[in-house]
């Protein structure tokens, strides 16, 4: 509103004095004289940059109201020059414009700007209407134009960073384009679906006019850049490009052996970390969930778990799913996993209880420890279990072993029992498991030579 105010009050005062029979002032104020405003009335303050040829700048003087006659304030001129005094000229306000919000009319003038030496600081020094003039000081700057390109980013595999780059150039006094170094470039980005862009950061062009930004993305991103105006060159904006990304899944780290009732695990790295990792098992007809799923940690690592309940050979895989990367879903399969009962281990020793020479009927002692794998995966004493001592005729491998003694393990897995030697035999100790989830254990101890 400050630029649109007028001295309409002076005209009203003159009419009032005439009505009352009072003479007009000796030096009436010329209401047509006002400092001009750069730009058009609908685009106030906009001064075009110089590009490949001569340019022009528009300025206006506005008067509030829409009741003025068509020739109101005709003949107004302005004196314009560069601040160093060069290119001084007088331009006429010979155009008309207006606006209805609020109602106003405007007289407009166009200043030619030569390509060769028109860039720089200018000033409007005087406004003239007929014999009246008014000294003013309306400075403005003419900048040379700028262009900015943005190159299509290569599709990358996460976590490789996306590179956004392009070149900034400016127009010269000959109308050609030259690289523009040291320019401030702002990077804007946003979801490719929404199209809403936000300021992500800023940088500067190098000696070749090139800017570079590197940043990770987890989904398609729309990018554009804006070049900030400098003292001599105007702003610029690039077009938009869409950067795309592929998800990555590292080789799986897992054992090819599993045990009934013990958690089996598989580990890997997946990027971007917004993906969904899911451990699946082949049931003979389709891949089914194991109910182990989730997103990777910040460094991409993840571990998925599965507890088998039946012995057998299984196919398992990790699948990455979600939205964003172009290649989802992807998966990796573990080599076939063989599941067995948890292993048990038995140690033992067989020797005469008191004698030094084994004869028919010599009392023998057998003792040792029984251990087994727990459901935690750790190994420890297997208490309360039946252990048997078995023999067969020495060297007769086709004859089955027969049980000659039994024992029950203590809390530490220790067992002890006695039996009697009557002939030459092979001796072993065994834990014959009654459980599906724990395997049997056997240990050959010695040959008993009866004399």
């Amino acid at each position: 509103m400050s630029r649109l105010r007028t001295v309409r009050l002076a005209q009203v005062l003159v009419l009032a004095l005439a009505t009352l029979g009072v003479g007009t002032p000796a030096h009436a104020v010329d209401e047509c004289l006002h400092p001009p405003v750069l730009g058009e009335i609908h685009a106030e303050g906009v001064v075009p940059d110089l590009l490949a040829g001569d340019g022009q700048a528009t300025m206006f003087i506005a008067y509030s109201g829409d009741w003025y006659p068509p020739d109101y304030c005709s003949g107004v001129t302005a004196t314009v020059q560069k601040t160093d005094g060069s290119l001084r000229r007088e331009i006429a306000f010979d155009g008309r414009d207006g606006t209805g919000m609020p109602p106003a009319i405007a007289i407009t003038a166009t200043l030619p700007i030569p390509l060769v030496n028109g860039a720089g600081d200018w000033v409007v020094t005087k406004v003239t209407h007929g014999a009246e003039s008014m000294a003013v000081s309306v400075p403005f700057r003419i900048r040379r134009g700028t262009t900015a390109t943005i190159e299509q980013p290569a599709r990358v595999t996460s976590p490789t960073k996306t590179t956004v780059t392009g070149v900034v150039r400016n127009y010269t006094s000959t109308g050609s384009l030259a690289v523009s170094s040291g320019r401030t470039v702002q990077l804007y980005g946003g979801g490719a679906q929404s199209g809403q862009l936000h300021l992500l950061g800023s940088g500067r062009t190098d000696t070749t006019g090139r800017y570079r930004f590197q940043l990770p993305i987890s989904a398609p991103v729309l990018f554009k850049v804006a070049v900030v105006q400098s003292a001599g060159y105007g702003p610029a904006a690039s077009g938009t490009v869409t950067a795309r990304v592929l998800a990555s899944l590292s080789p799986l780290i897992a054992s090819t052996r599993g045990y009934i009732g013990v958690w089996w695990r598989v580990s890997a790295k997946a990027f971007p970390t917004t993906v969904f990792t899911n451990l699946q098992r082949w049931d003979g007809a389709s891949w089914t969930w194991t109910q182990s799923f989730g997103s990777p940690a910040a460094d991409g690592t993840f571990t998925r778990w599965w507890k088998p309940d039946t012995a057998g050979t299984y196919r398992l895989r990790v699948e990455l799913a979600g939205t964003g990367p172009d290649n989802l879903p992807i998966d990796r399969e573990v080599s076939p996993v063989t599941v067995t009962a948890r292993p048990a281990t038995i140690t033992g020793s067989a020797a005469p209880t008191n004698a030094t020479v084994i004869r028919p009927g010599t009392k023998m002692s057998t003792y040792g420890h029984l251990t087994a794998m727990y459901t935690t995966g750790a190994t420890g004493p297997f208490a309360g279990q039946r252990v048997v001592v078995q023999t067969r005729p020495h060297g007769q491998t086709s004859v089955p072993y027969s049980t000659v003694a039994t024992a029950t393990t203590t809390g530490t897995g220790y067992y002890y029992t006695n039996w009697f030697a009557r002939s030459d035999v092979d001796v072993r100790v065994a834990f014959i498991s009654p459980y599906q989830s724990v395997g049997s254990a056997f240990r050959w101890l010695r040959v008993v030579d009866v004399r």
Side-chain angles (χ1 to χ4, degrees), residues 207-258:
T207 56
T208 67
R210 183 169 292 277
Y211 62 86
R212 286 183 178 84
F213 296 95
Q214 288 190 316
L215 65 167
I217 62 173
S218 59
V221 177
L222 199 66
F223 287 114
K224 70 176 293 184
V225 295
V227 183
V228 178
Q229 74 177 21
S230 64
Y233 302 101
S238 72
T240 57
V241 294
T242 300
R244 310 193 74 86
V245 65
L246 298 176
S248 66
L249 177 60
S250 71
L252 306 180
I253 301 173
S255 173
T256 57
R257 177 171 291 278

Side-chain angles (χ1 to χ4, degrees), residues 73-164:
C73 287
S74 62
V76 176
T77 63
T79 301
V80 189
Q81 65 182 39
K82 295 190 75 173
T83 54
D84 62 5
S86 63
L87 300 182
R88 181 184 178 88
R89 63 197 63 189
E90 189 174 41
I91 59 174
F93 284 84
D94 53 7
R96 297 277 164 169
D97 203 344
T99 180
M101 294 296 292
I105 68 164
I107 55 175
T108 63
T110 300
L111 170 66
I113 306 294
L115 172 65
V116 174
N117 57 354
D121 291 321
W122 291 70
V123 63
V124 182
T125 61
K126 185 172 64 173
V127 179
T128 302
H129 185 220
E132 300 290 331
S133 64
M134 179 176 67
V136 297
S137 178
V138 181
F140 60 97
R141 177 171 290 176
I142 300 296
R143 294 177 170 86
R144 297 197 183 276
T146 299
T147 66
T149 64
I150 185 169
E151 298 171 8
Q152 175 62 48
R155 188 167 63 172
V156 298
T157 300
S158 186
T160 303
K161 291 183 177 181
T162 297
T163 298
V164 181

